[in-house]
Amino acid sequence: QLQLQESGPGLVKPSETLSLTCTVSGGSISSSSYYWGWIRQPPGKGLEWIGSIYYSGSTYYNPSLKSRVTISVDTSKNQFSLKLSSVTAADTAVYYCARVDVDLDTAMVRSFDYWGQGTLVTVSS
Amino acid sequence: QSVLTQPPSASGTPGQRVTISCSGSSSNIGSNTVNWYQQLPGTAPKLLIYSNNQRPSGVPDRFSGSKSGTSASLAISGLQSEDEADYYCAAWDDSLNGHVVFGGGTKLTVL
């Protein structure tokens, strides 16, 4: 059974960079059929797609966050990571990693079919 | 302000049928498929419906999805107490080089 687990600091200071890692088990991140992505949810609010990455390194980002986001992949560790720079209190959220079913010809996301349990990141001094 | 519009709340009694709507535009629901996610309290979202009306393995057939034009709906029949959760619709939006958009979520209460 595919499992995803987020890890990283739960507290980040304003203006610094948020860094999270997602470890995939029960399957290979190098699968040619899927992308891997990040989604966040501010406390008490809805979901927001951050971006997705293919095992080859191809990335797609939410236009509203693109200038601050970097997603990378480490196939040797079966992990992918998120970096969000210049964070503010508005970036406080539960961050989820997920497997992404996509149309590989267009990179259009079809669904997020496996999710990690999520990790709360608070931005505060 | 979410790109996809959902009612903030819905409710029903056990055994009833409830529907949750999701309204979008020609650049998202109007041209791409819709997914629905269920988020039980304190847990991660779970894929409930994909490609407008397909259920992943293990999702009861009490849950069904439909799409017409720029709107979609999730229907839950034979409502059960364990269906009390937040429900989110989502779709690909072709604008701005493409991105995923979500609805604001609907909190379903089983009375």
Side-chain angles (χ1 to χ4, degrees):
Chain A
Q1 175 76 345
L2 190 73
Q3 292 186 319
L4 297 91
Q5 179 68 58
E6 305 87 353
S7 60
L11 181 63
V12 181
K13 290 182 168 56
S15 80
E16 296 189 344
T17 296
L18 176 160
S19 297
L20 295 174
T21 296
C22 181
T23 301
V24 178
S25 59
S28 174
I29 203 168
S30 299
S31 167
S32 60
S33 302
Y34 297 98
Y35 273 59
W36 305 88
W38 291 95
I39 302 102
R40 70 179 183 178
Q41 183 174 36
K45 296 187 178 180
L47 301 165
E48 180 180 35
W49 174 66
I50 299 171
S52 304
I53 189 166
Y54 197 50
Y55 76 94
S56 64
S58 296
T59 53
Y60 294 88
Y61 299 135
N62 187 326
S64 68
L65 297 169
K66 186 174 183 177
S67 63
R68 298 194 292 130
V69 173
T70 302
I71 298 176
S72 58
V73 63
D74 186 336
T75 55
S76 67
K77 295 182 179 179
N78 227 33
Q79 295 176 334
F80 62 103
S81 298
L82 167 71
K83 290 188 185 299
L84 181 66
S85 64
S86 305
V87 298
T88 69
D91 296 309
T92 293
V94 175
Y95 286 76
Y96 296 100
C97 59
R99 191 177 78 170
V100 190
D101 181 30
V102 302
D103 180 325
L104 292 175
D105 290 331
T106 64
M108 180 186 77
V109 172
R110 291 195 284 235
S111 68
F112 304 104
D113 58 1
Y114 284 89
W115 294 64
Q117 65 184 27
T119 187
L120 174 63
V121 179
T122 301
V123 179
S124 175
S125 55
Chain B
Q1 190 79 353
S2 301
V3 173
L4 304 181
T5 301
Q6 298 180 237
S9 64
S11 64
T13 56
Q16 265 191 333
R17 182 178 188 270
V18 298
T19 61
I20 297 172
S21 62
C22 176
S23 177
S25 67
S26 59
S27 64
N28 42 66
I29 294 179
S31 51
N32 299 302
T33 59
V34 177
N35 304 313
W36 290 90
Y37 298 90
Q38 177 193 57
Q39 187 173 32
L40 297 171
T43 69
K46 166 192 166 185
L47 181 63
L48 195 65
I49 297 287
Y50 67 97
S51 296
N52 302 328
N53 55 17
Q54 302 298 302
R55 287 184 307 275
S57 174
V59 173
D61 59 7
R62 303 187 295 105
F63 296 90
S64 61
S66 63
K67 186 184 101 166
S68 178
T70 59
S71 294
S73 292
L74 172 70
I76 309 171
S77 60
L79 195 63
Q80 299 180 3
S81 58
E82 56 261 39
D83 298 333
E84 188 160 291
D86 293 324
Y87 293 85
Y88 293 91
C89 59
W92 184 256
D93 192 301
D94 293 329
S95 66
L96 301 174
N97 291 321
H99 59 291
V100 177
V101 291
F102 285 96
T106 298
K107 181 173 180 58
L108 174 63
T109 300
V110 181
L111 302 170

